[in-house]
Amino acid sequence: VDSHFLWRRALPRQVRVRRTYRDHAELRFPSLAGDITQKGYEKKRSKLIGAYLPQPPTANGAAVVRCRLQHSEGAPRRTFRSAHIGVCDVREAAARERVASTAGNRPLFYFRFGVDQALPQERRAPVTPSSASRYHRRRSSGSRDERYRSDVHTEAVQAALAKHKERKMAVPMPSKRRSLVVQTSMDAYTPPDTSSGSEDEGSVQGDSQGTPTSSQGSINMEHWISQAIHGSTTSTTSSSSTQSGGSGAAHRLADVMAQTHIENHSAPPDVTTYTSEHSIQVERPQGSTGSRTAPKYGNAELMETGDGVPVSSRVSAKIQQLVNTLKRPKRPPLREFFVDDFEELLEVQQPDPNQPKPEGAQMLAMRGEQLGVVTNWPPSLEAALQRWGTISPKAPCLTTMDTNGKPLYILTYGKLWTRSMKVAYSILHKLGTKQEPMVRPGDRVALVFPNNDPAAFMAAFYGCLLAEVVPVPIEVPLTRKDAGSQQIGFLLGSCGVTVALTSDACHKGLPKSPTGEIPQFKGWPKLLWFVTESKHLSKPPRDWFPHIKDANNDTAYIEYKTCKDGSVLGVTVTRTALLTHCQALTQACGYTEAETIVNVLDFKKDVGLWHGILTSVMNMMHVISIPYSLMKVNPLSWIQKVCQYKAKVACVKSRDMHWALVAHRDQRDINLSSLRMLIVADGANPWSISSCDAFLNVFQSKGLRQEVICPCASSPEALTVAIRRPTDDSNQPPGRGVLSMHGLTYGVIRVDSEEKLSVLTVQDVGLVMPGAIMCSVKPDGVPQLCRTDEIGELCVCAVATGTSYYGLSGMTKNTFEVFPMTSSGAPISEYPFIRTGLLGFVGPGGLVFVVGKMDGLMVVSGRRHNADDIVATALAVEPMKFVYRGRIAVFSVTVLHDERIVIVAEQRPDSTEEDSFQWMSRVLQAIDSIHQVGVYCLALVPANTLPKTPLGGIHLSETKQLFLEGSLHPCNVLMCPHTCVTNLPKPRQKQPEIGPASVMVGNLVSGKRIAQASGRDLGQIEDNDQARKFLFLSEVLQWRAQTTPDHVLYTLLNCRGAIANSLTCVQLHKRAEKIAVMLMERGHLQDGDHVALVYPPGIDLIAAFYGCLYAGCVPITVRPPHPQNIATTLPTVKMIVEVSRSACLMTTQLICKLLRSREAAAAVDVRTWPLILDTDDLPKKRPAQICKPCNPDTLAYLDFSVSTTGMLAGVKMSHAATSAFCRSIKLQCELYPSREVAICLDPYCGLGFVLWCLCSVYSGHQSILIPPSELETNPALWLLAVSQYKVRDTFCSYSVMELCTKGLGSQTESLKARGLDLSRVRTCVVVAEERPRIALTQSFSKLFKDLGLHPRAVSTSFGCRVNLAICLQPHRLWTLAEQGTSGPDPTTVYVDMRALRHDRVRLVERGSPHSLPLMESGKILPGVRIIIANPETKGPLGDSHLGEIWVHSAHNASGYFTIYGDESLQSDHFNSRLSFGDTQTIWARTGYLGFLRRTELTDANGERHDALYVVGALDEAMELRGMRYHPIDIETSVIRAHKSVTECAVFTWTNLLVVVVELDGSEQEALDLVPLVTNVVLEEHYLIVGVVVVVDIGVIPINSRGEKQRMHLRDGFLADQLDPIYVAYNM
């Protein structure tokens, strides 16, 4: 029976053989030859799927799977075995196994060789015609791309997906605008495989013509999975037994298993055929919210919005689906404990207590065989060339092929020798002058040759060696912007390259400037291009001869290497190393003189260079070079050349074997028996084993022997690391390691016990090179030797390696001068080792196994994953027809202190949205199951758009760069931050507040004072305010009309800056009287009736307001409907008129017509308007009397406004409050009749209305009125007016300021020329009800500084519904030290944003991380008192807390008139009391969060100044994870994320954060924003974005004050009214 070699020391107990994850031949490709036994196939398959089926116990505990391949013609049987791991002698191992078995121990780990000759006959199932024909059918699908996948892998993936189906709900599909989903025709694209394939991957032309690539199992698999994911109940016909997805299916399978009598537990039942009798029902997955299933896309489901408003829409159904999906627990459960301070600690990944740890002994360094010094080996490579060039000049050295596969040119050793001499002579003597040659021995020279001209390259390379200059072979730069060519330029620059050698054809093909010069490529040094064709070279004189020395330690050549980050390094190889490497390869490969070798690899670097250019010359071999262009046209060309030339050796990559398989169609004349060695250059890649197995399976019948296949491992630094030796012993199968993927992520070699799916099969890459010593060290930290069962970075100590990275001594030290240590800290050798960049281990018998590359390593939450393994899993997901194989990039990006995996694939042009999305969601599930790691982002890009390397592979670092800067332009994106991000901070627990006891002790609470402040006391201010005598504004106007009748109160400007209208005191009084008569006589209004004033900003509005006061009516100012947008603006007018219960509506004749127009009738019911009075036609008489209110507490006017949360609220302003308000403003702003004030505000509500209509009448100053709408035609209007009228005080809104900043940014010079001068402006106040927009005010100040604007002049005010102005006006403040100096604005502070989320205020330095600048909201008005209270407990807070701003003042509003949209707002907004402390004072709650700071500044009275900082509205703040977030902070981050984001708004919906971004760019950029938005919100706010909505510019609604209406936006989104470009639902 088999011989089992047990290697006890190497591995811990419980490690047993498992079946493979990517073990190709044994399952998939036997089918190509039609010769696997039915039983073997089933056995293999059931092994995998066994995890999901009821399992009979095995007899011996260690399940060993045998898989026989039988040739039906009666050829000898051959069994492929899985070899495993260890380092020890074979005899010793056998002895140990005897001991182990007698001791009754289980074998620990198997390593198998040998042929299964002794199997009893009766255990073999005969190949019945039915099974043979079935397998023959399978065989016909030979074009299926098998490189990355074995059936085992595919089935593992499918089983994983089936398992997922039980617990995973559907992923909501993104919504995409039609224009983004245009199906491009196939002709619009060049499929990537025809334009350029790829270096490591790619496919063949034939592949893209839609060959039937699915096998019997996979066609139905797609059908089945789509149902599994959608949860349909129809029965499926898939033949794969992985259908045990639904729980019902599992029971049915169990029944089937029970019915089948299993003899000896050997062969499981034939599960492939029973589908006809038992149709498997895939059950509909239950929604996690109870019995309701997840709504499918498109059905609107009636849901309730957060406010309890039912919303029926597709969007809300999708969101509900997303919420249900996210309710699944994440893999690492978050431990719910709380941090009681505001320090937000990111969850530190706790090591898993059950994680496997290495338990083996410390490994021993592995020594290769001695490098045998053969007497006739040449002393240097140039000497070898001289020898062959002179004694065998006719011997062929190199044959090149054209694209038809015909020999193009044969280079003999004689020609190579003479041509190399010419090149050497020309380089040294024909460049530059005799005195100043351009190139001297030791200089570096670039070699730029195309891949189809090895002969010219070879002559140039050897010419450089003869001339003792150092060649630096690089790729041909195709365009100036080639991916990665800039970094190549940096390498050339650092090597001091000034000359580039090239071929004639290549020189002609380089891009030229109009003058015929070759332009300087981006990042490249200035080069002299020198063509090395014979006609351009001079014949060396007779007396010149190159100096041929023995190999020494001078640099022979520099090989370039691209790092993970895209940078390019040059690895220097000395002449000794070069020669020793050739000798080692000659010995290892058994090269002999005049052998023929076929080379498909790139001859400029790596294995292609070492075998095809260097070692071949040392041994006078004949190289047949197959260019890449020929491979694309004819993938079988290399095999045909092996037959034609009876080649002994071929150098290929997995890709070439795979392409040959795809193109292979029973070619009659193929015979590969001449091959003694097939070198697989990328044999260390995880998918190479399946290519090798598949290739062997197909071509074994064509004379290919198993022992010929020789994978090797190499790296630019260590050259060839290991290579499998060609043997004559066909009895010894190659080594196999079947490793647990879970163990590998911890760097440990294990066989998985639970998950039979997640294993990785690796093949050995042979033995250590002759003359080398190898060990493996821990990948990070001190280079400590690994244990025998631990994965480490392979290190090599040998002469034949690179010696340094050119010009980088620090990096060189870390890589080329490593001294591995034992656990005691002693170095194992006095000689330095070199890090190879390969991860792996040394197995039994010194076999080297590679499991990945350092460059492809991604460390996610402390576990290591290999990019190649993830690629392989993605490619095993059926069906593959939506994306191009080999055009998949996997990399990691760092987000929130951990690496996150990103997968980018090229999508085929003919795949639909649904198809691609289904494939994406399956890939996520497969990777989740097999690798136990979440994918952060999966993006599909259009065909042929990923940046390419020169040989057509994907340029990884460039792809990553495009992804990070948002210019990848994917056509499909699926983000999964909810599943990946597990290190968010703990949710927060609320703090206990200050109790009454601590308040009684005094106002000190833990060293903090209670946060309260007040403006100046009105009672103590001495002023000669004549208007104070009057209780009512109407009386003030009458008094002014008598005392100063001709004093101008108002001047209105038109869009050209000319005076459109003005009003003196008496004109206003007379006009108001006529309006009062009209109201009484035509309107028949009573005292106290409400009148809606619908006027454009101007004089009419003011006259109508005072007319109402004269008539005893209560005015309500309403913004008129916009004539171009009646449908949306008129309903608001109608609503205000109805809600305010207006008995009459006054307006101009023009608007009067508009209100009754046909358009208006379409928008509202025009029959229900109240009486409409047109004030353009006024009566000529005066009223009999002017109404005087009986009580100052009666209603003066109603102030209606829509808040940012979309609520319409009207507040009542009494006569007493109105007068107190005007007086407070007069005192604060020092307003007198001689002053002029410019106002550019909307006059309909809040402070804007008061400044526009009331203040001039009270204080007597002249108001220059500038309607903000006029700025749209003339942005400079406001500033020109301020300059022209020499105004000292001006008021504007943020929208006005933004208009000026954006509209006049480039015009400051021309404005200066027009005489614009802002040096007289003392105060420019922005009127707002929000946190000051510090970025906008600063950029405005900076922009207009050149026009004389003082930086301290700009300030903000703050008002709200309960009190229309709490703060106003900057302060004439100074610190005692710097009186009068213009330092930085003293009223800006920087607070820690993380603390703010916990309602704490912590000041930090400017520029510190997480700092948020906040600007004070202006000086508190006289007569106003402020306190900061806890909005929940209503207790007073200390000044280090964020709380609600409460205000007490004579001009507080007296209550809501009505609130439309939320009846629950209580009256306590206007009369609240503190729960302790001062419980007597009645306060009004502003609904805004803020804090007070006592500053070092003093005001005019020498008092310390208290500054109020407004942070945001309580209604808008979002409670997420127990913390309070303000939308503006998240929006600011998002706007910074990408240049195309012009505006952003966020809101929450069912605890999901929804981000809406306006895109200024092409719709193709929409999907770029999704990852960037998600990243920035995670990084800066520790929040996961649930939905990203990309919309057109102008979709986010903004009110007249320039504030975003986020709730309107939310309602529009949920009702599906935004017409978004793209909606992404993050998983």
Side-chain angles (χ1 to χ4, degrees), residues 1146-1308:
M1146 282 206 291
T1147 184
T1148 63
Q1149 198 166 4
L1150 200 66
I1151 294 173
C1152 199
K1153 283 185 185 148
L1154 191 65
L1155 294 180
R1156 293 199 170 102
S1157 68
R1158 189 178 295 146
E1159 290 91 340
V1164 298
D1165 183 0
V1166 291
R1167 295 167 302 182
T1168 56
W1169 285 119
L1171 171 68
I1172 299 179
L1173 296 179
D1174 156 20
T1175 52
D1176 289 359
D1177 169 30
L1178 289 174
K1180 299 286 184 277
K1181 53 200 265 192
R1182 294 179 55 190
Q1185 68 178 63
I1186 290 174
C1187 175
K1188 180 180 177 184
C1190 50
N1191 178 354
D1193 290 334
T1194 54
L1195 207 50
Y1197 70 97
L1198 289 177
D1199 186 305
F1200 268 89
S1201 154
V1202 178
S1203 74
T1204 49
T1205 51
M1207 284 185 347
L1208 175 67
V1211 293
K1212 301 185 279 197
M1213 288 296 287
S1214 67
H1215 286 282
T1218 307
S1219 300
F1221 197 179
C1222 290
R1223 175 158 187 252
S1224 199
I1225 291 173
K1226 172 184 189 291
L1227 295 170
Q1228 184 84 324
C1229 301
E1230 299 166 15
L1231 301 174
Y1232 308 107
S1234 57
R1235 299 281 295 283
E1236 288 175 338
V1237 173
I1239 297 168
C1240 189
L1241 289 167
D1242 274 323
Y1244 301 108
C1245 60
L1247 188 53
F1249 163 74
V1250 173
L1251 289 166
W1252 189 283
C1253 289
L1254 312 184
C1255 286
S1256 276
V1257 169
Y1258 187 91
S1259 311
H1261 61 276
Q1262 179 184 349
S1263 290
I1264 295 155
L1265 306 176
I1266 302 149
S1269 52
E1270 303 288 9
L1271 264 69
E1272 287 169 19
T1273 46
N1274 178 8
L1277 174 64
W1278 167 51
L1279 295 177
L1280 285 167
V1282 167
S1283 165
Q1284 182 187 339
Y1285 290 94
K1286 304 183 173 46
V1287 168
R1288 289 175 63 193
D1289 300 283
T1290 180
F1291 296 86
C1292 71
S1293 66
Y1294 280 123
S1295 23
V1296 165
M1297 193 168 262
E1298 198 160 19
L1299 250 173
C1300 292
T1301 313
K1302 285 183 177 164
L1304 305 175
S1306 54
Q1307 300 176 28
T1308 45

Side-chain angles (χ1 to χ4, degrees), residues 241-292:
S241 64
T242 57
Q243 282 175 8
S244 49
S247 50
H251 291 159
R252 217 143 304 136
L253 265 176
D255 301 342
V256 175
M257 298 288 283
Q259 288 159 21
T260 318
H261 300 295
I262 301 177
E263 316 255 333
N264 301 338
H265 307 306
S266 57
D270 182 357
V271 284
T272 50
T273 53
Y274 72 82
T275 25
S276 50
E277 297 98 17
H278 313 266
S279 71
I280 290 189
Q281 301 286 321
V282 178
E283 306 218 326
R284 185 185 288 280
Q286 291 297 311
S288 52
T289 51
S291 61
R292 201 174 78 194

